[in-house]
Amino acid sequence: MTSNDHGDALAQQVAAAADSGTPLRIRGQGSKDFLGRTPSGDVLDLSAHSGIINYEPTELVLTARAGTPLSELEAALSGSGQMMPFEPPHFGDASTIGGTIAAGLSGPRRPWAGSARDLILGVRLINGQGENMRFGGEVIKNVAGYDVSRLATGSYGTLGVILDISMKVLPLPEAEVSLRLDHGETEGFNAVEQAFRAGVPVSGAAHDGKQLRVRLSGTKLAVDAGIKHLGGEQDDDPATFWHALRDHRLPVFTDDGPALWRLSLPPMADIPDLPGQRLADWGGQQHWLRTDASPEHVFSEAARLGGHATCFHGGDRDGDVFHPLSPGLRRLHERVKTAFDPKGILNPGRLYAGI
């Protein structure tokens, strides 16, 4: 295991930036530069801060530096028959665990195995004053007071520079299959929900507008029973479709067109009434949509369905990318930002203007 700890040097850079009031743009390998509002500030480079610090397969815990590539972590885990349950998207060969956690990204397995935020045990980060701080730990029950580890997950670096991450890992499933079924979207996701409640080991459910795709993962006995329960045709390689969905290599992601939106909705919500090319994931709780509808229209429709929307790629990155905050939530965000980053130098405006 390697461990290149540049934490002290990075903390000194942040402290100097705080003293001078210089905004910092936190960056690993740049695979997620397209996310959020337009980045600004001097680059704080975390690419050299990499390596696995501690990995105990028997304890189901891994700790790594933020600049560690996902591919390196997956190789180490696979060698011990384990995986990151939240199935992080790669968006390129250089994608790192720090950027993944900072953006709070999870793949197709998320509704059934947990999100990135659910599986984080602890972090070490640098706040906006250049202080090196630790939160959480390397055991499951080690949270007292505010759970900063999870607060930092999905904060896009606006609260602190994530240095090290401890996370829960799980064994790889004994068996896995991918099924194709000729169900409509609503009918198909209802069938998946009923199958899951009946004990079928669902680990993925998506609909591309033509077919329902279902992945089953677990013991061979449970997977075989799930195949009998759901029916359908099996893919020759169960990983092909799901890796393409995870890493955004399907047509809805790669075709040229208008902005790509992500709508996060409650279970069993209605299908969004928006024009454009669409793919539904997470059993209908996440919709990927290419649409030329206005941001106001998309935000309004997501809110009507009880969810929220994010302009994931393209669009006006100087405007509202994330779902607008209510006045109360805005004040809460501002207070938390001020507590961690009083000078407002860390990824300023990456989430919301002025935060």
Side-chain angles (χ1 to χ4, degrees):
M1 296 184 185
T2 61
S3 179
N4 300 313
D5 189 351
H6 295 263
D8 290 342
L10 290 165
Q12 291 172 11
Q13 292 180 58
V14 174
D19 288 341
S20 64
T22 303
L24 293 176
R25 172 185 173 188
I26 305 166
R27 192 175 190 269
Q29 295 290 347
S31 63
K32 298 170 186 67
D33 282 352
F34 68 93
L35 292 171
R37 299 177 77 247
T38 303
S40 63
D42 294 350
V43 172
L44 183 70
D45 185 359
L46 270 73
S47 59
H49 184 73
S50 66
I52 296 173
I53 301 169
N54 185 38
Y55 174 36
E56 296 291 343
T58 57
E59 300 294 330
L60 298 176
V61 172
L62 181 147
T63 302
R65 305 289 186 213
T68 311
L70 292 176
S71 56
E72 182 178 331
L73 299 181
E74 289 170 344
L77 289 166
S78 178
S80 296
Q82 295 180 348
M83 65 177 181
M84 289 179 278
F86 61 101
E87 199 172 12
H90 284 216
F91 303 148
D93 295 337
S95 187
T96 63
I97 187 62
T100 298
I101 298 304
L105 298 173
S106 302
R109 205 180 298 266
R110 180 249 186 268
W112 299 276
S115 68
R117 180 175 284 113
D118 297 327
L119 296 155
I120 292 301
L121 303 176
V123 297
R124 179 168 68 114
L125 58 77
I126 303 166
N127 69 6
Q129 295 173 295
E131 296 172 328
N132 207 316
M133 312 175 78
R134 290 184 183 273
F135 300 94
E138 293 185 326
V139 294
I140 304 301
K141 295 182 179 179
N142 192 35
V143 176
Y146 295 108
D147 194 346
V148 174
S149 303
R150 289 177 177 154
L151 185 64
T153 305
S155 66
Y156 280 76
T158 59
L159 301 181
V161 181
I162 297 175
L163 293 176
D164 308 337
I165 297 146
S166 295
M167 74 187 88
K168 181 181 179 182
V169 299
L170 288 178
L172 288 165
E174 175 187 328
E176 192 162 84
V177 300
S178 180
L179 304 174
R180 304 186 306 276
L181 299 96
D182 292 326
H183 287 320
E185 187 173 322
T186 301
E187 172 196 7
F189 288 144
N190 281 331
V192 169
E193 178 65 18
Q194 294 303 316
F196 180 67
R197 292 183 180 183
V200 173
V202 177
S203 64
H207 202 288
D208 62 3
K210 298 178 181 178
Q211 283 187 315
L212 174 69
R213 299 282 193 141
V214 182
R215 182 176 58 189
L216 308 179
S217 307
T219 65
K220 188 176 186 309
L221 185 64
V223 169
D224 287 345
I227 295 171
K228 291 181 180 178
H229 184 105
L230 286 167
E233 299 181 8
Q234 294 186 42
D235 289 334
D236 293 333
D237 180 3
T240 300
F241 173 81
W242 298 100
H243 283 180
L245 173 56
R246 179 196 70 183
D247 296 338
H248 287 198
R249 290 185 277 108
L250 296 175
V252 69
F253 305 113
T254 59
D255 288 353
D256 292 334
L260 176 69
W261 287 82
R262 178 179 66 185
L263 277 67
S264 300
L265 304 177
M268 311 311 295
D270 290 340
I271 295 172
D273 184 15
L274 290 165
Q277 185 181 9
R278 187 175 54 83
L279 182 148
D281 192 12
W282 294 3
Q285 296 180 58
Q286 178 169 255
H287 293 252
W288 296 103
L289 175 69
R290 286 265 185 205
T291 183
D292 56 8
S294 69
E296 293 77 15
H297 187 185
V298 179
F299 290 137
S300 174
E301 178 64 5
R304 183 185 72 83
L305 296 173
H308 60 271
T310 300
C311 187
F312 202 80
H313 196 281
D316 179 10
R317 296 190 63 202
D318 293 323
D320 284 331
V321 170
F322 298 96
H323 206 99
L325 298 171
S326 67
L329 279 177
R330 172 82 189 194
R331 288 192 296 271
L332 180 59
H333 274 251
E334 290 171 345
R335 288 180 180 180
V336 173
K337 171 69 171 175
T338 300
F340 281 88
D341 181 19
K343 299 287 187 68
I345 64 166
L346 299 178
N347 276 6
R350 191 72 183 268
L351 275 175
Y352 296 98
I355 298 180

